[in-house]
Amino acid sequence: MKKKILLLLFFIVNFGFAQDSIQIKKYSKQDLEKEIKLNTTWKYKVGNNSQYKNIDYNDIDWKESTTTFLKTGDKENQKDFWFRKQFAVDSTLINKPISLMVTSKADAAVYLDGKLLGTFGKTDFINTPNAEINHPVVFALNNTDPHVLSVFYKEASTEKASLFSTNGFKVSLVTPATYQEKTTINHYLWLAINAIGFIFITLGVIHFILFGFYRKFIANLFFGLFNFCSGLSILFGYTKILKQGIESLAFASMIDENSVIFSAIGSIALSGTVNFLFNKNKISFYITTVLISLSLLLVIFVSKDFLFLSSTFTSLVFLEAIIVVLIAAINKKPGAKIIALGLIFSFGFALILGFSAGIFMINANNLTITQVALTSTLIMLSLFSTPFAMSAYLASNFASVSKKLQLQLLQIEKLSEENIKQEQERKALLENKMNFLEEEVKERTKEKETQKQQIEQQQTELLLEKQKSEDLLLNILPKDIADELKENGESKVKQFKDVSILFSDFTNLDLVSKQLNSQELLDELNHCFKAFDNITTKHQIEKIKTISYSYMAVSGLPLENENHAKRMIDVALEMRNFIEEYQTERKQTNKPFFEIKIGINSGEVVAGIVGIKKFAYDIWGDAVNTAARMKGISENGKINVGHTTYTQTKDFFAFEYRGELEIKGKGLTKMYFVEDKTI
């Protein structure tokens, strides 16, 4: 009996404690106006079970934690989590609009009493019809009963771990007006930080340009790099942190990778600036450069935990720059005092900023606007102190140079007055002599001008005659062959391993000649051949000759060309298109017209000049004969090509396979009709 009584008392006591531990707080309208922060005393469990979001799910065995407990260095926390928290509202919040604010380091889906309110992060990681719902999220509660807020937190960390990173999320309830106000503040703060970053980048570009104009002043290069890296540090560090708003500072890494890397490079540039300005012995600059470079290599290739080492070296480099400038100031070097003040202020504000940020990070869940404003002010003061000091130094340096130039100008003016008097006397003597000489020069100049005009006229006439001769020669021979003939008096026969030969033929010349007189027939042939000449010239194809009513051209010589076959088919298509347009025009006026068929073949040829009188450039070879056969077996309006040409151009044109046809002296040969271009 005693045992039963003791067990009953033990159950009553534990039940009482349990009731105290699970008391559900009720929130009022006044709490909502101040902002209800739901960041403590959540229950959580590792895993992924959709039943965890239901209001009636029993979570008594779940662990308790805050929403920012995750450490990316813990492998257990690189999984999916479910968090649950019960809350209630009093009568002042019944049917009142409530805005949900969520800031999450990773992907998070928020449920109220089992229903999805919104997703934060990637909007497609939950396979739900409402997965596209995202903030702003506004809801209302119609009773004072307990409600369950569930958060599915997916993949807490997928990146390489760092001991200085935190994970988690923050949830708070506010009025719609407060939500809008915070959103606006966060947006303008983010824009302001971006603007600061771009200002630094702009300053960097300006100093790069100044270095380009005057490369002896290498300090401009280093200071430009410092400003440029400072801007990148802000854009890739602070702006990324503040993208989700002020509340995201709770999840900001104590040492951000991008910010530390760009700050480290910027510190090297700053050290280079002050060392090249004030220090003849630059050993400290080289040592710090090596140390920071090694620390960055450790961060990139070993572990992000070495970011702390890089940050420490960066601070030491800033300290080294201050020491160099202070020594220069003690030695009374020009401008050193101004830069020293800027560096001291910058380093001092940075220390205060680091101390303040550490305190704020400890109390990250309760950050206030005042704390954020203080942090932002310290950031701006730390960032702008050094550039302002450097600008002031450059301004003072420019003023000093300006004063020196003014003194030099005064001295030059005095010397100029004396020189002017002496020059005036000399000038008077010279003018008398010049007048005498000018008269003689004028007479001789007239004679020379007359002779010059006569010579120029003769040269012009000779050049015109020479140009006519060269134009006539180029009209007969290719330019390279003509140049060789002019230089050597002869042209050697050359062998070309792979060219493309085209033959075209007007098939109905006899029929057309019966309907036209000799002059009209000649005019029509000339009209067509001139068009063919323009087409071959356009595609850099060498016309060989016209034989009666046939036209012959070759691609790939005298200058070799890998695309000779494609170019030749392009020429053939344009020739066919021209004849089709020509036929249409003749049909409309009921006049006779030519029909054309074309043959193309690719292969090896020999080219050169034959004869010593009325010489001409010609080609020979089996490929030429085969091309002529291709033309003979072609059809009106068709372009017939051999298999060699087809294999070189099948990727560029559409072809119709004709099969294997008999060619005199060659036997059965594969042939194709060109249809049109494919690309």
Side-chain angles (χ1 to χ4, degrees):
M1 185 68 181
K2 290 181 179 180
K3 291 182 178 180
K4 292 182 179 180
I5 293 172
L6 290 173
L7 288 172
L8 180 62
L9 289 173
F10 179 79
F11 175 76
I12 292 171
V13 170
N14 279 278
F15 181 76
F17 281 118
Q19 290 296 317
D20 291 340
S21 64
I22 60 174
Q23 285 183 353
I24 300 172
K25 184 176 180 180
K26 282 193 174 184
Y27 297 99
S28 64
K29 182 179 180 181
Q30 186 176 5
D31 294 328
L32 184 67
E33 291 174 348
K34 292 180 180 179
E35 183 178 359
I36 301 171
K37 295 184 177 181
L38 305 175
N39 301 322
T40 58
T41 319
W42 283 68
K43 290 189 174 184
Y44 80 95
K45 188 171 184 179
V46 177
N48 184 0
N49 188 341
S50 61
Q51 299 297 322
Y52 293 165
K53 68 178 181 293
N54 296 335
I55 188 172
D56 56 353
Y57 185 82
N58 186 3
D59 58 6
I60 192 170
D61 61 338
W62 287 24
K63 298 179 182 179
E64 290 189 356
S65 174
T66 63
T67 60
T68 57
F69 79 103
L70 295 175
K71 303 291 183 180
T72 58
D74 188 355
K75 293 184 178 179
E76 181 183 352
N77 295 325
Q78 299 180 21
K79 302 177 181 178
D80 298 341
F81 283 78
W82 275 94
F83 291 81
R84 289 168 58 90
K85 183 177 182 63
Q86 290 187 331
F87 74 100
V89 297
D90 62 13
S91 58
T92 60
L93 281 179
I94 297 298
N95 295 325
K96 299 294 183 182
I98 301 174
S99 288
L100 174 70
M101 292 191 68
V102 177
T103 304
S104 177
K105 183 71 176 290
D107 298 326
V110 182
Y111 299 85
L112 178 64
D113 296 338
K115 295 182 179 180
L116 180 66
L117 288 180
T119 59
F120 301 83
K122 299 178 182 177
T123 59
D124 58 352
F125 75 99
I126 296 179
N127 188 17
T128 304
N130 295 326
E132 294 182 358
I133 299 174
N134 212 320
H135 45 88
V137 176
V138 181
F139 63 93
L141 301 174
N142 57 10
N143 58 64
T144 60
D145 297 334
H147 298 275
V148 175
L149 202 61
S150 305
V151 177
F152 176 46
Y153 191 77
K154 184 175 177 62
E155 295 180 2
S157 176
T158 57
E159 298 178 355
K160 193 173 181 182
S162 173
L163 297 176
F164 305 99
S165 299
T166 58
N167 247 316
F169 60 91
K170 292 179 64 178
V171 179
S172 59
L173 305 178
V174 296
T175 63
T178 303
Y179 179 90
Q180 184 63 36
E181 180 183 355
K182 284 198 170 190
T183 302
T184 303
I185 291 174
N186 289 336
H187 178 68
Y188 283 113
L189 177 61
W190 182 78
L191 289 177
I193 295 297
N194 272 281
I196 293 173
F198 282 112
I199 288 173
F200 271 98
I201 290 176
T202 303
L203 286 173
V205 172
I206 291 173
H207 281 276
F208 287 150
I209 295 172
L210 292 175
F211 174 72
F213 281 112
Y214 187 61
R215 297 190 178 182
K216 291 183 179 179
F217 193 59
I218 198 171
N220 264 328
L221 174 63
F222 283 110
F223 191 62
L225 182 60
F226 167 73
N227 283 288
F228 197 79
C229 289
S230 298
L232 293 178
S233 176
I234 294 171
L235 293 178
F236 289 99
Y238 295 108
T239 56
K240 181 177 67 175
I241 294 172
L242 294 172
K243 183 64 176 179
Q244 295 189 55
I246 298 173
E247 292 78 8
S248 62
L249 288 172
F251 313 116
S253 299
M254 293 176 64
I255 301 179
D256 181 75
E257 178 183 0
N258 294 321
S259 181
V260 169
I261 290 174
F262 287 120
S263 296
I265 298 173
S267 68
I268 294 175
L270 181 61
S271 176
T273 302
V274 297
N275 274 281
F276 277 88
L277 281 175
F278 306 118
N279 193 3
K280 293 182 179 180
N281 185 2
K282 301 174 180 60
I283 295 177
S284 61
F285 166 67
Y286 298 129
I287 293 174
T288 54
T289 300
V290 171
L291 290 176
I292 289 184
S293 300
L294 290 175
S295 67
L296 292 178
L297 291 174
L298 290 174
V299 170
I300 295 171
F301 296 106
V302 180
S303 173
K304 293 182 181 178
D305 296 334
F306 288 101
L307 286 170
F308 182 77
L309 182 63
S310 296
S311 181
T312 302
F313 284 156
T314 299
S315 300
L316 292 176
V317 172
F318 274 105
L319 184 60
E320 180 260 347
I322 292 175
I323 293 173
V324 171
V325 174
L326 288 176
I327 293 173
I330 293 171
N331 294 331
K332 296 182 180 181
K333 291 187 177 181
K337 291 183 179 179
I338 299 174
I339 300 177
L341 289 174
L343 285 172
I344 291 170
F345 277 115
S346 179
F347 192 71
F349 286 131
L351 290 176
I352 297 171
L353 173 63
F355 180 74
S356 302
I359 296 175
F360 296 161
M361 289 298 296
I362 294 173
N363 196 26
N365 289 330
N366 297 306
L367 286 176
T368 64
I369 296 297
T370 303
Q371 291 172 335
V372 174
L374 176 59
T375 303
S376 302
T377 303
L378 290 172
I379 290 172
M380 293 178 64
L381 291 173
S382 176
L383 292 176
F384 280 111
S385 294
T386 301
F388 178 78
M390 183 61 71
S391 298
Y393 164 71
L394 293 175
S396 63
N397 187 40
F398 179 78
S400 176
V401 172
S402 179
K403 287 182 180 179
K404 291 180 180 179
L405 289 175
Q406 287 179 354
L407 292 174
Q408 291 176 357
L409 286 173
L410 290 174
Q411 294 175 355
I412 291 171
E413 288 178 356
K414 291 180 179 179
L415 292 173
S416 297
E417 291 178 357
E418 296 177 358
N419 290 334
I420 288 172
K421 291 181 180 178
Q422 294 176 358
E423 288 297 325
Q424 287 176 347
E425 293 176 356
R426 293 178 182 176
K427 186 177 180 180
L429 294 174
L430 291 173
E431 284 181 354
N432 294 329
K433 293 182 178 180
M434 288 293 295
N435 291 331
F436 173 77
L437 294 174
E438 282 180 0
E439 294 297 328
E440 292 188 356
V441 169
K442 285 180 180 179
E443 293 180 1
R444 293 185 180 180
T445 301
K446 288 181 180 180
E447 296 177 359
K448 294 292 183 182
E449 286 294 330
T450 302
Q451 294 175 357
K452 182 180 178 181
Q453 290 176 359
Q454 293 174 352
I455 294 171
E456 287 178 350
Q457 185 176 358
Q458 293 174 357
Q459 289 178 343
T460 301
E461 292 175 355
L462 290 173
L463 288 174
L464 289 174
E465 292 299 324
K466 181 182 178 182
Q467 187 62 42
K468 289 178 182 179
S469 300
E470 289 186 354
D471 291 343
L472 182 60
L473 187 60
L474 291 175
N475 197 32
I476 299 171
L477 302 174
K479 185 177 184 304
D480 292 346
I481 303 302
D483 292 340
E484 184 181 0
L485 191 63
K486 287 189 292 183
E487 291 178 4
N488 304 326
E490 61 178 358
S491 176
K492 295 181 180 180
V493 175
K494 295 182 181 179
Q495 186 175 14
F496 296 89
K497 292 184 179 180
D498 195 13
V499 299
S500 293
I501 307 101
L502 175 145
F503 280 95
S504 70
D505 195 2
F506 292 133
T507 59
N508 61 337
L509 186 65
D510 293 337
L511 179 62
V512 175
S513 62
K514 292 178 181 180
Q515 303 178 52
L516 300 175
N517 59 41
S518 300
Q519 185 60 44
E520 290 174 338
L521 179 61
L522 183 61
D523 291 342
E524 291 304 310
L525 285 173
N526 187 49
H527 174 68
C528 295
F529 285 155
K530 283 175 63 177
F532 292 173
D533 288 344
N534 291 332
I535 293 170
T536 55
T537 301
K538 171 185 171 183
H539 291 274
Q540 298 179 349
I541 301 301
E542 192 66 36
K543 173 188 175 183
I544 299 301
K545 58 187 172 182
T546 57
I547 308 170
S548 183
Y549 45 84
S550 295
Y551 191 92
M552 179 182 178
V554 62
S555 175
L557 63 80
L559 296 177
E560 296 182 2
N561 184 357
E562 293 180 356
N563 295 324
H564 58 84
K566 179 180 179 300
R567 285 192 180 184
M568 187 55 81
I569 293 180
D570 285 334
V571 168
L573 288 172
E574 287 195 31
M575 292 170 66
R576 185 181 68 181
N577 294 339
F578 167 77
I579 291 298
E580 288 176 353
E581 293 176 1
Y582 158 77
Q583 290 173 349
T584 302
E585 294 176 0
R586 300 288 290 182
K587 287 177 182 179
Q588 290 175 353
T589 56
N590 198 22
K591 293 181 180 180
F593 52 84
F594 294 128
E595 294 283 356
I596 190 172
K597 60 181 181 179
I598 301 173
I600 299 175
N601 186 50
S602 300
E604 183 178 350
V605 299
V606 175
I609 297 175
V610 294
I612 57 175
K613 292 185 178 181
K614 296 184 179 180
F615 47 79
Y617 187 71
D618 207 345
I619 59 176
W620 306 270
D622 182 65
V624 179
N625 298 331
T626 304
R629 298 288 189 274
M630 290 292 172
K631 181 259 296 182
I633 305 176
S634 184
E635 297 177 1
N636 287 341
K638 296 289 186 177
I639 303 170
N640 188 34
V641 301
H643 187 69
T644 304
T645 307
Y646 165 77
T647 57
Q648 296 184 29
T649 60
K650 62 183 179 181
D651 294 332
F652 303 101
F653 303 95
F655 292 89
E656 176 190 348
Y657 180 53
R658 301 183 64 192
E660 294 185 355
L661 302 179
E662 182 74 25
I663 292 183
K664 183 179 179 182
K666 298 287 287 185
L668 293 176
T669 304
K670 293 180 180 180
M671 298 186 190
Y672 306 82
F673 279 146
V674 181
E675 294 297 324
D676 205 344
K677 279 190 176 182
T678 58
I679 58 173

